[in-house]
PDB file of all heavy atoms in Angstrom:
ATOM      1  N   ALA Y 207     -17.214  27.293 -24.315  1.00  0.00           N
ATOM      2  CA  ALA Y 207     -17.966  28.390 -23.937  1.00  0.00           C
ATOM      3  C   ALA Y 207     -17.014  29.572 -23.450  1.00  0.00           C
ATOM      4  O   ALA Y 207     -17.132  30.729 -23.756  1.00  0.00           O
ATOM      5  CB  ALA Y 207     -19.034  28.134 -22.863  1.00  0.00           C
ATOM      6  N   ASP Y 208     -16.067  29.119 -22.567  1.00  0.00           N
ATOM      7  CA  ASP Y 208     -15.069  30.043 -22.024  1.00  0.00           C
ATOM      8  C   ASP Y 208     -14.263  30.680 -23.126  1.00  0.00           C
ATOM      9  O   ASP Y 208     -13.941  31.855 -23.066  1.00  0.00           O
ATOM     10  CB  ASP Y 208     -14.175  29.346 -21.024  1.00  0.00           C
ATOM     11  CG  ASP Y 208     -13.156  30.264 -20.423  1.00  0.00           C
ATOM     12  OD1 ASP Y 208     -13.606  31.184 -19.642  1.00  0.00           O
ATOM     13  OD2 ASP Y 208     -11.954  30.014 -20.597  1.00  0.00           O
ATOM     14  N   LYS Y 209     -13.810  29.991 -24.091  1.00  0.00           N
ATOM     15  CA  LYS Y 209     -13.049  30.458 -25.164  1.00  0.00           C
ATOM     16  C   LYS Y 209     -13.829  31.418 -26.104  1.00  0.00           C
ATOM     17  O   LYS Y 209     -13.280  32.365 -26.650  1.00  0.00           O
ATOM     18  CB  LYS Y 209     -12.593  29.314 -26.118  1.00  0.00           C
ATOM     19  CG  LYS Y 209     -11.463  28.355 -25.608  1.00  0.00           C
ATOM     20  CD  LYS Y 209     -10.229  29.107 -25.397  1.00  0.00           C
ATOM     21  CE  LYS Y 209      -9.096  28.360 -24.875  1.00  0.00           C
ATOM     22  NZ  LYS Y 209      -7.880  29.128 -24.686  1.00  0.00           N
ATOM     23  N   LEU Y 210     -15.115  31.287 -26.095  1.00  0.00           N
ATOM     24  CA  LEU Y 210     -15.960  32.180 -26.846  1.00  0.00           C
ATOM     25  C   LEU Y 210     -16.610  33.263 -26.042  1.00  0.00           C
ATOM     26  O   LEU Y 210     -17.433  34.107 -26.561  1.00  0.00           O
ATOM     27  CB  LEU Y 210     -17.127  31.357 -27.495  1.00  0.00           C
ATOM     28  CG  LEU Y 210     -16.559  30.343 -28.629  1.00  0.00           C
ATOM     29  CD1 LEU Y 210     -17.784  29.424 -28.955  1.00  0.00           C
ATOM     30  CD2 LEU Y 210     -16.122  31.146 -29.799  1.00  0.00           C
ATOM     31  N   CYS Y 211     -16.308  33.344 -24.780  1.00  0.00           N
ATOM     32  CA  CYS Y 211     -16.668  34.309 -23.838  1.00  0.00           C
ATOM     33  C   CYS Y 211     -18.230  34.397 -23.720  1.00  0.00           C
ATOM     34  O   CYS Y 211     -18.916  35.510 -23.604  1.00  0.00           O
ATOM     35  CB  CYS Y 211     -16.236  35.739 -24.242  1.00  0.00           C
ATOM     36  SG  CYS Y 211     -14.335  35.865 -24.383  1.00  0.00           S
ATOM     37  N   VAL Y 212     -18.837  33.204 -23.587  1.00  0.00           N
ATOM     38  CA  VAL Y 212     -20.226  33.131 -23.314  1.00  0.00           C
ATOM     39  C   VAL Y 212     -20.539  32.003 -22.388  1.00  0.00           C
ATOM     40  O   VAL Y 212     -19.452  31.298 -22.011  1.00  0.00           O
ATOM     41  CB  VAL Y 212     -21.001  32.783 -24.701  1.00  0.00           C
ATOM     42  CG1 VAL Y 212     -20.929  33.765 -25.663  1.00  0.00           C
ATOM     43  CG2 VAL Y 212     -20.520  31.376 -25.327  1.00  0.00           C
ATOM     44  N   THR Y 213     -21.667  31.806 -21.860  1.00  0.00           N
ATOM     45  CA  THR Y 213     -21.922  30.719 -20.872  1.00  0.00           C
ATOM     46  C   THR Y 213     -22.285  29.385 -21.624  1.00  0.00           C
ATOM     47  O   THR Y 213     -22.598  29.366 -22.805  1.00  0.00           O
ATOM     48  CB  THR Y 213     -23.274  31.089 -20.093  1.00  0.00           C
ATOM     49  OG1 THR Y 213     -24.387  31.072 -20.974  1.00  0.00           O
ATOM     50  CG2 THR Y 213     -23.094  32.396 -19.388  1.00  0.00           C
ATOM     51  N   PRO Y 214     -22.010  28.294 -21.030  1.00  0.00           N
ATOM     52  CA  PRO Y 214     -22.343  26.987 -21.628  1.00  0.00           C
ATOM     53  C   PRO Y 214     -23.729  26.848 -21.990  1.00  0.00           C
ATOM     54  O   PRO Y 214     -23.951  26.277 -23.108  1.00  0.00           O
ATOM     55  CB  PRO Y 214     -21.961  26.077 -20.495  1.00  0.00           C
ATOM     56  CG  PRO Y 214     -20.844  26.715 -19.612  1.00  0.00           C
ATOM     57  CD  PRO Y 214     -21.373  28.214 -19.610  1.00  0.00           C
ATOM     58  N   LYS Y 215     -24.655  27.421 -21.242  1.00  0.00           N
ATOM     59  CA  LYS Y 215     -26.091  27.272 -21.557  1.00  0.00           C
ATOM     60  C   LYS Y 215     -26.315  28.046 -22.915  1.00  0.00           C
ATOM     61  O   LYS Y 215     -27.055  27.587 -23.802  1.00  0.00           O
ATOM     62  CB  LYS Y 215     -26.853  27.839 -20.402  1.00  0.00           C
ATOM     63  CG  LYS Y 215     -28.434  27.784 -20.740  1.00  0.00           C
ATOM     64  CD  LYS Y 215     -29.225  28.351 -19.585  1.00  0.00           C
ATOM     65  CE  LYS Y 215     -30.752  28.210 -19.797  1.00  0.00           C
ATOM     66  NZ  LYS Y 215     -31.586  28.683 -18.612  1.00  0.00           N
ATOM     67  N   TYR Y 216     -25.783  29.375 -23.068  1.00  0.00           N
ATOM     68  CA  TYR Y 216     -26.005  30.110 -24.210  1.00  0.00           C
ATOM     69  C   TYR Y 216     -25.436  29.439 -25.479  1.00  0.00           C
ATOM     70  O   TYR Y 216     -26.089  29.361 -26.518  1.00  0.00           O
ATOM     71  CB  TYR Y 216     -25.364  31.481 -24.016  1.00  0.00           C
ATOM     72  CG  TYR Y 216     -25.658  32.509 -25.186  1.00  0.00           C
ATOM     73  CD1 TYR Y 216     -26.971  32.999 -25.314  1.00  0.00           C
ATOM     74  CD2 TYR Y 216     -24.643  32.759 -26.113  1.00  0.00           C
ATOM     75  CE1 TYR Y 216     -27.207  33.808 -26.443  1.00  0.00           C
ATOM     76  CE2 TYR Y 216     -24.906  33.551 -27.196  1.00  0.00           C
ATOM     77  CZ  TYR Y 216     -26.223  34.015 -27.366  1.00  0.00           C
ATOM     78  OH  TYR Y 216     -26.450  34.921 -28.440  1.00  0.00           O
ATOM     79  N   ILE Y 217     -24.187  28.957 -25.440  1.00  0.00           N
ATOM     80  CA  ILE Y 217     -23.518  28.374 -26.616  1.00  0.00           C
ATOM     81  C   ILE Y 217     -24.364  27.146 -26.995  1.00  0.00           C
ATOM     82  O   ILE Y 217     -24.529  26.799 -28.184  1.00  0.00           O
ATOM     83  CB  ILE Y 217     -22.045  28.102 -26.463  1.00  0.00           C
ATOM     84  CG1 ILE Y 217     -21.457  27.722 -27.838  1.00  0.00           C
ATOM     85  CG2 ILE Y 217     -21.792  27.021 -25.402  1.00  0.00           C
ATOM     86  CD1 ILE Y 217     -21.533  28.729 -28.912  1.00  0.00           C
ATOM     87  N   SER Y 218     -24.783  26.361 -25.967  1.00  0.00           N
ATOM     88  CA  SER Y 218     -25.502  25.167 -26.256  1.00  0.00           C
ATOM     89  C   SER Y 218     -26.829  25.402 -27.048  1.00  0.00           C
ATOM     90  O   SER Y 218     -27.260  24.805 -27.946  1.00  0.00           O
ATOM     91  CB  SER Y 218     -25.915  24.358 -24.982  1.00  0.00           C
ATOM     92  OG  SER Y 218     -24.684  23.921 -24.285  1.00  0.00           O
ATOM     93  N   GLN Y 219     -27.457  26.559 -26.565  1.00  0.00           N
ATOM     94  CA  GLN Y 219     -28.761  26.975 -27.250  1.00  0.00           C
ATOM     95  C   GLN Y 219     -28.531  27.448 -28.652  1.00  0.00           C
ATOM     96  O   GLN Y 219     -29.265  27.117 -29.521  1.00  0.00           O
ATOM     97  CB  GLN Y 219     -29.489  28.025 -26.448  1.00  0.00           C
ATOM     98  CG  GLN Y 219     -30.883  28.300 -26.901  1.00  0.00           C
ATOM     99  CD  GLN Y 219     -31.824  27.159 -26.838  1.00  0.00           C
ATOM    100  OE1 GLN Y 219     -31.987  26.585 -25.762  1.00  0.00           O
ATOM    101  NE2 GLN Y 219     -32.395  26.833 -27.971  1.00  0.00           N
ATOM    102  N   VAL Y 220     -27.454  28.302 -28.737  1.00  0.00           N
ATOM    103  CA  VAL Y 220     -27.173  28.817 -30.132  1.00  0.00           C
ATOM    104  C   VAL Y 220     -26.761  27.633 -31.109  1.00  0.00           C
ATOM    105  O   VAL Y 220     -27.271  27.709 -32.186  1.00  0.00           O
ATOM    106  CB  VAL Y 220     -25.964  29.770 -30.049  1.00  0.00           C
ATOM    107  CG1 VAL Y 220     -25.376  30.039 -31.390  1.00  0.00           C
ATOM    108  CG2 VAL Y 220     -26.266  31.026 -29.381  1.00  0.00           C
ATOM    109  N   VAL Y 221     -25.997  26.779 -30.684  1.00  0.00           N
ATOM    110  CA  VAL Y 221     -25.652  25.628 -31.599  1.00  0.00           C
ATOM    111  C   VAL Y 221     -26.894  24.722 -31.928  1.00  0.00           C
ATOM    112  O   VAL Y 221     -26.974  24.350 -33.051  1.00  0.00           O
ATOM    113  CB  VAL Y 221     -24.576  24.733 -30.906  1.00  0.00           C
ATOM    114  CG1 VAL Y 221     -24.274  23.454 -31.721  1.00  0.00           C
ATOM    115  CG2 VAL Y 221     -23.229  25.527 -30.775  1.00  0.00           C
ATOM    116  N   LYS Y 222     -27.692  24.536 -30.961  1.00  0.00           N
ATOM    117  CA  LYS Y 222     -28.909  23.820 -31.145  1.00  0.00           C
ATOM    118  C   LYS Y 222     -29.821  24.559 -32.101  1.00  0.00           C
ATOM    119  O   LYS Y 222     -30.477  23.943 -32.997  1.00  0.00           O
ATOM    120  CB  LYS Y 222     -29.716  23.521 -29.822  1.00  0.00           C
ATOM    121  CG  LYS Y 222     -31.010  22.737 -29.928  1.00  0.00           C
ATOM    122  CD  LYS Y 222     -30.647  21.268 -30.386  1.00  0.00           C
ATOM    123  CE  LYS Y 222     -31.942  20.472 -30.508  1.00  0.00           C
ATOM    124  NZ  LYS Y 222     -32.634  20.296 -29.201  1.00  0.00           N
ATOM    125  N   ASP Y 223     -29.965  25.850 -31.985  1.00  0.00           N
ATOM    126  CA  ASP Y 223     -30.827  26.611 -32.877  1.00  0.00           C
ATOM    127  C   ASP Y 223     -30.352  26.662 -34.332  1.00  0.00           C
ATOM    128  O   ASP Y 223     -31.196  26.649 -35.231  1.00  0.00           O
ATOM    129  CB  ASP Y 223     -30.885  28.065 -32.380  1.00  0.00           C
ATOM    130  CG  ASP Y 223     -31.775  28.193 -31.110  1.00  0.00           C
ATOM    131  OD1 ASP Y 223     -32.502  27.242 -30.736  1.00  0.00           O
ATOM    132  OD2 ASP Y 223     -31.682  29.247 -30.543  1.00  0.00           O
ATOM    133  N   THR Y 224     -29.049  26.719 -34.496  1.00  0.00           N
ATOM    134  CA  THR Y 224     -28.483  26.890 -35.839  1.00  0.00           C
ATOM    135  C   THR Y 224     -28.175  25.607 -36.520  1.00  0.00           C
ATOM    136  O   THR Y 224     -28.066  25.486 -37.762  1.00  0.00           O
ATOM    137  CB  THR Y 224     -27.160  27.711 -35.859  1.00  0.00           C
ATOM    138  OG1 THR Y 224     -26.228  27.142 -34.816  1.00  0.00           O
ATOM    139  CG2 THR Y 224     -27.555  29.151 -35.344  1.00  0.00           C
ATOM    140  N   THR Y 225     -27.940  24.445 -35.726  1.00  0.00           N
ATOM    141  CA  THR Y 225     -27.565  23.156 -36.373  1.00  0.00           C
ATOM    142  C   THR Y 225     -28.575  22.135 -36.090  1.00  0.00           C
ATOM    143  O   THR Y 225     -28.495  20.983 -36.846  1.00  0.00           O
ATOM    144  CB  THR Y 225     -26.259  22.631 -35.857  1.00  0.00           C
ATOM    145  OG1 THR Y 225     -26.249  22.222 -34.563  1.00  0.00           O
ATOM    146  CG2 THR Y 225     -25.172  23.817 -36.053  1.00  0.00           C
TER     147      THR Y 225
END
Side-chain angles (χ1 to χ4, degrees):
D208 182 63
K209 287 293 180 181
L210 294 168
C211 301
V212 295
T213 67
K215 182 178 180 180
Y216 183 74
I217 191 60
S218 295
Q219 188 61 54
V220 166
V221 172
K222 182 69 180 294
D223 289 345
T224 54
T225 71

